[in-house]
Amino acid sequence: MLGLSRSGYWYKAGRRTSRQQELVKRMHQLSTEEPRWGYRRIAQALKNEGWNVGRRQIRRLRRQEGLRVPPTKRKARRQGRSTGLPTRATHKNHVWTWDFIADATVRGGALRMLTVLDEYTRECHVLRADRALKSGDVIELVKGAVAQHGAPEFIRSDNGSEFIAKDLQLWLADNKIKTIYIEPGSPWQNGFVESFHGRFRDECLNREQLWTLTEARVVIEDFRNKYNQKRPHSKLGYKSPARYAASLHPSLAPVRPAEPCLPSARDGQPASVVSTLTNLPDRP
């Protein structure tokens, strides 16, 4: 009546081969290291390691092994026409975005973290934790990112006091960086950094117990490096941001040289390792 053969109904899968057992073992290891990664990212990570696997295969094996990631509660989708600003990044260093995210150490000390992203390549250039960050600290951190990656054409942010400070505005004007401010109370207009903060909190802050500021800086910097170098990004064809940026043609990723900056004394760098950057090409 069902059109199902007896042999198909009574079939039982045989024992796994040694290769399949190794695959399942490695899948468990990756799922333990990154418990919030779904089958798509796990499959891509295995492919990057040389395994000949498919997404459906990994999804089936993860379900059999009880490794399915519990779904997060979705917020109600915003209805109506968006009022977001039209400027959209079309190449590397076109639009950067920055914002703050707050947390606390186990002992009760505040943590305030500055995030700076490239909206086109999704690279996280800055993810710095401190007890407090003022406009001067923001300038020093962004100077370092600009010296390493080049200056963006635009930078998007909210209207926080750190982002509208006079000193910061003068520094941005000197480096010919235009500002894009979102409307008050409209975080969806800065969606790239909000999405990153969601991943950052889910995959790092909610998993770790941060006892001291030093420990927090080490853990957070490790997450930033892993995010840039290893984490497959679904919007980049499951390439990591660094790998995607490296694949861009030079004509699609212009870099504007900027003034050099010295490491901040707050970074804990001894004077012996602080060197002055010289002979950089002039800014066009």
Side-chain angles (χ1 to χ4, degrees):
M1 183 176 64
L2 298 177
L4 180 65
S5 65
R6 290 177 179 269
S7 59
Y9 179 79
W10 293 106
Y11 173 79
K12 293 183 180 179
R15 297 183 61 181
R16 290 171 177 166
T17 64
S18 58
R19 178 191 174 280
Q20 291 174 334
Q21 293 175 1
E22 289 295 325
L23 173 62
V24 171
K25 181 180 179 181
R26 181 56 183 152
M27 184 181 67
H28 272 278
Q29 293 174 348
L30 289 173
S31 299
T32 301
E33 294 172 3
E34 302 295 340
R36 296 301 301 175
W37 282 16
Y39 72 92
R40 292 182 179 88
R41 287 193 173 87
I42 294 294
Q44 186 62 45
L46 289 169
K47 288 180 180 179
N48 293 341
E49 294 179 1
W51 292 91
N52 185 17
V53 295
R55 291 184 182 178
R56 291 184 179 181
Q57 179 186 6
I58 298 304
R59 179 175 60 181
R60 174 176 54 82
L61 291 175
R62 281 172 56 85
R63 287 180 176 178
Q64 290 176 358
E65 298 296 317
L67 298 175
R68 185 169 177 266
V69 178
T72 56
K73 185 178 180 181
R74 297 290 183 180
K75 296 181 180 179
R77 188 170 183 177
R78 179 175 173 269
Q79 302 294 325
R81 188 173 180 178
S82 175
T83 57
L85 297 171
T87 304
R88 182 175 181 178
T90 58
H91 54 263
K92 183 178 179 180
N93 285 350
H94 184 196
V95 181
W96 285 9
T97 177
W98 54 0
D99 200 0
F100 288 99
I101 182 172
D103 208 301
T105 56
V106 176
R107 297 176 179 175
L111 281 179
R112 188 166 173 80
M113 291 153 279
L114 173 67
T115 303
V116 179
L117 296 175
D118 187 316
E119 291 190 359
Y120 188 75
T121 65
R122 309 299 206 274
E123 288 178 288
C124 179
H125 295 326
V126 176
L127 187 56
R128 178 67 171 181
D130 211 325
R131 297 300 185 187
L133 289 168
K134 300 181 180 180
S135 59
D137 304 320
V138 173
I139 292 175
E140 291 302 317
L141 292 171
V142 178
K143 275 184 179 179
V146 169
Q148 182 177 359
H149 303 283
E153 299 176 32
F154 299 90
I155 191 161
R156 192 192 313 272
S157 71
D158 57 26
N159 292 272
S161 58
E162 299 87 350
F163 300 135
I164 61 176
K166 184 177 180 180
D167 293 343
L168 179 61
Q169 293 296 316
L170 291 175
W171 182 82
L172 292 174
D174 290 342
N175 286 271
K176 296 182 174 57
I177 302 175
K178 300 178 182 178
T179 55
I180 304 173
Y181 291 110
I182 65 174
E183 296 178 7
S186 304
W188 56 86
Q189 295 182 3
N190 204 4
F192 288 96
V193 75
E194 295 294 337
S195 176
F196 174 82
H197 283 170
R199 304 285 75 74
F200 174 45
R201 190 172 294 279
D202 186 38
E203 298 177 11
C204 181
L205 296 181
N206 290 347
R207 291 182 55 195
E208 302 288 346
Q209 285 190 336
L210 306 175
W211 289 85
T212 65
L213 176 60
T214 301
E215 180 185 7
R217 285 177 173 175
V218 172
V219 171
I220 290 170
E221 183 63 16
D222 286 345
F223 172 82
R224 188 184 75 87
N225 290 330
K226 183 180 293 185
Y227 177 88
N228 285 338
Q229 303 295 333
K230 296 182 179 180
R231 187 183 187 278
H233 201 297
S234 59
K235 297 300 183 181
L236 303 178
Y238 285 95
K239 297 179 181 178
S240 67
R243 183 181 175 189
Y244 177 76
S247 68
L248 296 174
H249 191 275
S251 63
L252 300 179
V255 175
R256 296 194 297 132
E259 296 296 330
C261 70
L262 296 178
S264 172
R266 302 185 62 179
D267 293 338
Q269 297 287 349
S272 60
V273 302
V274 178
S275 58
T276 304
L277 300 176
T278 57
N279 300 324
L280 289 180
D282 294 334
R283 188 171 61 251

